[in-house]
Amino acid sequence: MLPDLPSFKAELQSILSEYVQLKARASLGVFSKSPKHVIHEGNRMRVVRADGSVGEDNLKSASSEVSLILGELHAMSLVERTRMLDQMALEMAEQMSSSLSVLSWTGQGY
């Protein structure tokens, strides 16, 4: 039996996750250059502007899901696996982009 290698799997998961995040951000078009701020908890965001005005917005999630048949995973080429990750990133970017577009059209952008 092969060893489990949990630290290797965790590092690989981190690399793949970062790849999808970077690819999704690159797919945002004009929004790809906008500032990014990580919020670790909560379901709302409050912005206090320089003029003292306050804006508040509910956070929106962007996600993508992939289903794999474990027995077929070994037969997938690197190109097929990368294509799958790229599709995930594109789906997430579309969700983020539509949320950003709504904010800018409703005047809620900052």
Side-chain angles (χ1 to χ4, degrees):
M1 177 183 268
L2 294 173
D4 188 27
L5 304 173
S7 61
F8 174 74
K9 290 193 304 190
E11 186 176 344
L12 182 59
Q13 175 64 35
S14 176
I15 290 168
L16 295 175
S17 181
E18 184 176 351
Y19 174 83
V20 171
Q21 289 176 23
L22 291 171
K23 194 75 169 179
R25 188 152 178 86
S27 299
L28 286 176
V30 68
F31 295 115
S32 67
K33 302 295 183 197
S34 63
K36 179 177 112 177
H37 182 74
V38 176
I39 300 173
H40 295 283
E41 58 183 58
N43 60 2
R44 293 184 306 209
M45 177 178 61
R46 177 177 285 174
V47 177
V48 180
R49 297 178 186 89
D51 66 0
S53 64
V54 176
E56 190 170 309
D57 192 22
N58 291 329
L59 298 176
K60 295 159 186 67
S61 66
S63 63
S64 182
E65 197 171 298
V66 172
S67 297
L68 297 170
I69 297 173
L70 194 56
E72 295 177 2
L73 185 60
H74 73 281
M76 289 178 68
S77 69
L78 181 57
V79 171
E80 291 171 319
R81 293 174 190 208
T82 304
R83 194 174 302 140
M84 180 183 62
L85 294 174
D86 291 346
Q87 182 60 37
M88 288 176 60
L90 184 60
E91 289 173 13
M92 292 176 60
E94 288 171 351
Q95 293 171 37
M96 290 186 283
S97 181
S98 73
S99 293
L100 291 169
S101 297
V102 168
L103 286 175
S104 62
W105 281 107
T106 60
Q108 294 179 12
Y110 20 116

